Short mmCIF file of all heavy atoms in Angstrom, two decimals:
data_model
loop_
_atom_site.label_atom_id
_atom_site.label_comp_id
_atom_site.label_asym_id
_atom_site.label_seq_id
_atom_site.Cartn_x
_atom_site.Cartn_y
_atom_site.Cartn_z
N HIS A 6 -0.51 13.28 4.16
CA HIS A 6 -1.58 14.24 3.84
C HIS A 6 -1.17 15.62 4.40
O HIS A 6 -1.14 15.73 5.72
CB HIS A 6 -2.81 13.75 4.39
CG HIS A 6 -4.07 14.63 4.14
ND1 HIS A 6 -4.78 15.17 5.21
CD2 HIS A 6 -4.59 14.96 3.05
CE1 HIS A 6 -5.79 15.81 4.57
NE2 HIS A 6 -5.71 15.73 3.30
N ARG A 7 -0.78 16.58 3.59
CA ARG A 7 -0.34 17.96 3.98
C ARG A 7 0.91 17.86 4.93
O ARG A 7 1.10 18.62 5.82
CB ARG A 7 -1.47 18.62 4.72
CG ARG A 7 -2.81 18.66 3.95
CD ARG A 7 -3.92 19.38 4.82
NE ARG A 7 -5.19 19.07 4.33
CZ ARG A 7 -6.37 19.40 4.87
NH1 ARG A 7 -6.36 20.13 5.91
NH2 ARG A 7 -7.49 18.94 4.28
N GLU A 33 1.36 14.84 0.08
CA GLU A 33 0.31 15.54 -0.61
C GLU A 33 0.35 16.98 -0.15
O GLU A 33 0.69 17.25 1.02
CB GLU A 33 -1.03 14.87 -0.30
CG GLU A 33 -2.21 15.32 -1.01
CD GLU A 33 -3.01 16.51 -0.26
OE1 GLU A 33 -2.71 16.83 0.86
OE2 GLU A 33 -4.08 16.94 -0.91
N ASP A 35 -1.51 21.23 -1.05
CA ASP A 35 -2.63 22.02 -1.74
C ASP A 35 -2.02 23.27 -2.19
O ASP A 35 -1.24 23.91 -1.52
CB ASP A 35 -3.70 22.29 -0.70
CG ASP A 35 -4.20 21.08 -0.07
OD1 ASP A 35 -4.97 20.33 -0.70
OD2 ASP A 35 -3.71 20.74 1.05
N HIS A 48 -4.08 24.90 2.37
CA HIS A 48 -5.25 24.12 2.07
C HIS A 48 -6.58 25.03 1.81
O HIS A 48 -7.23 24.90 0.79
CB HIS A 48 -5.66 23.09 3.11
CG HIS A 48 -6.90 22.28 2.75
ND1 HIS A 48 -8.10 22.66 3.22
CD2 HIS A 48 -7.04 21.18 1.99
CE1 HIS A 48 -9.09 21.84 2.79
NE2 HIS A 48 -8.46 20.94 2.05
N ASN A 106 2.08 14.77 -4.61
CA ASN A 106 0.72 14.94 -5.12
C ASN A 106 0.30 16.47 -4.89
O ASN A 106 0.09 16.83 -3.79
CB ASN A 106 -0.21 14.00 -4.37
CG ASN A 106 -1.71 14.05 -4.93
OD1 ASN A 106 -2.21 12.87 -5.15
ND2 ASN A 106 -2.18 15.12 -5.09
N GLU A 108 -2.42 19.10 -5.12
CA GLU A 108 -3.89 19.38 -5.38
C GLU A 108 -4.11 20.72 -5.77
O GLU A 108 -3.74 21.64 -5.00
CB GLU A 108 -4.72 18.95 -4.16
CG GLU A 108 -6.20 19.04 -4.43
CD GLU A 108 -7.17 18.87 -3.25
OE1 GLU A 108 -6.77 18.13 -2.27
OE2 GLU A 108 -8.28 19.32 -3.32
N LYS A 110 -6.17 23.71 -5.79
CA LYS A 110 -7.41 24.17 -5.01
C LYS A 110 -8.15 25.19 -5.81
O LYS A 110 -8.13 26.37 -5.44
CB LYS A 110 -6.97 24.74 -3.68
CG LYS A 110 -6.28 23.81 -2.72
CD LYS A 110 -7.16 22.49 -2.41
CE LYS A 110 -8.23 22.83 -1.57
NZ LYS A 110 -8.90 21.52 -1.12
N SER A 139 -3.77 16.58 -8.85
CA SER A 139 -5.20 16.25 -8.60
C SER A 139 -6.07 17.38 -8.52
O SER A 139 -5.71 18.51 -8.20
CB SER A 139 -5.26 15.32 -7.33
OG SER A 139 -4.78 16.10 -6.25
N PHE A 141 -10.61 18.33 -8.06
CA PHE A 141 -12.03 17.95 -8.15
C PHE A 141 -12.70 18.45 -9.41
O PHE A 141 -13.84 18.03 -9.82
CB PHE A 141 -12.84 18.57 -6.99
CG PHE A 141 -12.61 17.99 -5.62
CD1 PHE A 141 -11.72 18.60 -4.74
CD2 PHE A 141 -13.25 16.79 -5.32
CE1 PHE A 141 -11.55 17.99 -3.45
CE2 PHE A 141 -13.01 16.20 -4.02
CZ PHE A 141 -12.23 16.90 -3.18
N LEU A 161 -10.28 13.72 -8.21
CA LEU A 161 -10.75 13.70 -6.80
C LEU A 161 -12.24 13.54 -6.72
O LEU A 161 -13.01 14.31 -7.36
CB LEU A 161 -10.31 14.91 -6.10
CG LEU A 161 -8.97 14.98 -5.47
CD1 LEU A 161 -8.48 16.44 -5.39
CD2 LEU A 161 -8.90 14.39 -4.14
N TYR A 212 -8.74 9.01 0.81
CA TYR A 212 -8.35 10.01 1.80
C TYR A 212 -9.48 10.12 2.88
O TYR A 212 -10.52 9.87 2.52
CB TYR A 212 -8.14 11.51 1.18
CG TYR A 212 -9.31 12.02 0.50
CD1 TYR A 212 -10.17 12.97 1.18
CD2 TYR A 212 -9.72 11.77 -0.87
CE1 TYR A 212 -11.34 13.46 0.61
CE2 TYR A 212 -10.83 12.30 -1.47
CZ TYR A 212 -11.51 13.21 -0.70
OH TYR A 212 -12.69 13.66 -1.29
N PHE A 232 -3.92 8.54 1.85
CA PHE A 232 -3.47 9.83 2.37
C PHE A 232 -3.77 9.73 3.86
O PHE A 232 -4.89 9.45 4.28
CB PHE A 232 -4.33 11.02 1.76
CG PHE A 232 -4.13 11.12 0.27
CD1 PHE A 232 -5.16 10.57 -0.59
CD2 PHE A 232 -3.06 11.74 -0.38
CE1 PHE A 232 -5.03 10.62 -1.96
CE2 PHE A 232 -2.95 11.84 -1.73
CZ PHE A 232 -3.98 11.34 -2.56
O1 G3P B 1 -5.89 15.15 -1.95
C1 G3P B 1 -6.51 14.26 -1.18
C2 G3P B 1 -7.23 14.87 -0.08
O2 G3P B 1 -6.39 15.74 0.57
C3 G3P B 1 -8.44 15.73 -0.62
O3 G3P B 1 -9.12 16.38 0.49
O4 G3P B 1 -10.00 18.11 1.70
O5 G3P B 1 -7.62 17.50 2.06
O6 G3P B 1 -8.24 18.72 -0.01
P1 G3P B 1 -8.71 17.77 1.11
#
Side-chain angles (χ1 to χ4, degrees):
H6 182 241
R7 310 179 196 170
E33 186 266 357
D35 306 280
H48 180 270
N106 185 135
E108 183 182 339
K110 296 301 290 186
S139 59
F141 283 103
L161 273 158
Y212 67 92
F232 299 96

